[in-house]
Amino acid sequence: MALLAVGCTTQPTASTSPTAGASPSVAFNATDTAWIQLMIPMDERAQLLTDLAPSRTTDPGLTAMAAKTGSRLREDLRRLRALLRLSGVPDTRPHEGHNMPGMVSLTTIEKAAATTGQTFDTIVTAALRAHFTQSRMLCASERTYGQADKAKELAADIATNTAEQISWLDRLRPAQAVPGGNTAATRP
């Protein structure tokens, strides 16, 4: 499963049979719960970074994007936590302290908090681009392999929002091609 490929162990999952009186669309499988448990810390870390922008960047476009991204992250977190409760899986925080692809590292947050201006902009741009890209991949995996309709719907919403945020980021700070065919997350 794509979600488990990030190197973490599987976590307890809710029964695949719905609870008494619940609709069958509420049943959560291992992919659903793994996705929820991964997206929560990813979004929490990204939110910490976006919260720094108003006091660290001098770019009004990046300030506006960070504000909108932070607002979306807070709403996504609210919905993810509600899904976790609905799944019946305890909030064991299995990814606490991990640094995985697309997850803003604590080191990155510390570096961003210690800088301003263009240096901050470079850090936040690279970290958000990686976060958005990984979020979209994880959401695609959830939509393909997940079972719970509510989780798949949220994954679709998050994927749509991150696609919009990548477009906004590309307009503000286009990714640059680098030798080898990769795309750099920042511009010079």
Side-chain angles (χ1 to χ4, degrees):
M1 294 172 113
L3 292 176
L4 300 178
V6 295
C8 295
T9 60
T10 59
Q11 297 300 312
T13 60
S15 166
T16 56
S17 60
T19 58
S23 136
S25 66
V26 179
F28 288 78
N29 67 12
T31 298
D32 297 319
T33 56
W35 175 74
I36 294 165
Q37 289 179 321
L38 180 55
M39 289 300 296
I40 289 172
M42 282 187 59
D43 283 1
E44 286 173 341
R45 295 252 190 109
Q47 183 186 340
L48 290 173
L49 190 62
T50 61
D51 288 350
L52 293 172
S55 64
R56 300 280 170 212
T57 185
T58 56
D59 181 337
L62 196 53
T63 300
M65 186 201 160
K68 186 163 186 159
T69 298
S71 178
R72 283 184 173 169
L73 289 168
R74 281 185 285 283
E75 176 60 18
D76 291 345
L77 282 164
R78 183 192 65 73
R79 292 174 69 188
L80 286 162
R81 288 182 182 118
L83 281 177
L84 187 61
R85 284 188 300 276
L86 184 63
S87 77
V89 173
D91 187 3
T92 58
R93 313 274 312 164
H95 302 290
E96 190 73 34
H98 294 180
N99 287 321
M100 296 173 284
M103 183 180 284
V104 178
S105 72
L106 294 175
T107 303
T108 298
I109 294 167
E110 290 170 5
K111 286 179 184 177
T115 63
T116 59
Q118 183 60 39
T119 303
F120 173 83
D121 296 352
T122 300
I123 292 168
V124 76
T125 299
L128 287 179
R129 188 178 309 280
H131 172 78
F132 297 150
T133 301
Q134 186 69 13
S135 292
R136 285 183 69 199
M137 289 186 337
L138 293 171
C139 289
S141 187
E142 166 58 22
R143 291 169 63 196
T144 301
Y145 300 107
Q147 179 175 306
D149 290 344
K150 290 179 185 268
K152 292 167 73 167
E153 289 167 12
L154 179 54
D157 288 349
I158 292 172
T160 298
N161 289 338
T162 56
E164 291 170 5
Q165 291 165 314
I166 289 171
S167 293
W168 193 352
L169 188 58
D170 285 345
R171 288 190 302 276
L172 287 173
R173 303 205 181 276
Q176 300 294 309
V178 293
N182 293 326
T183 302
T186 60
R187 67 178 181 190

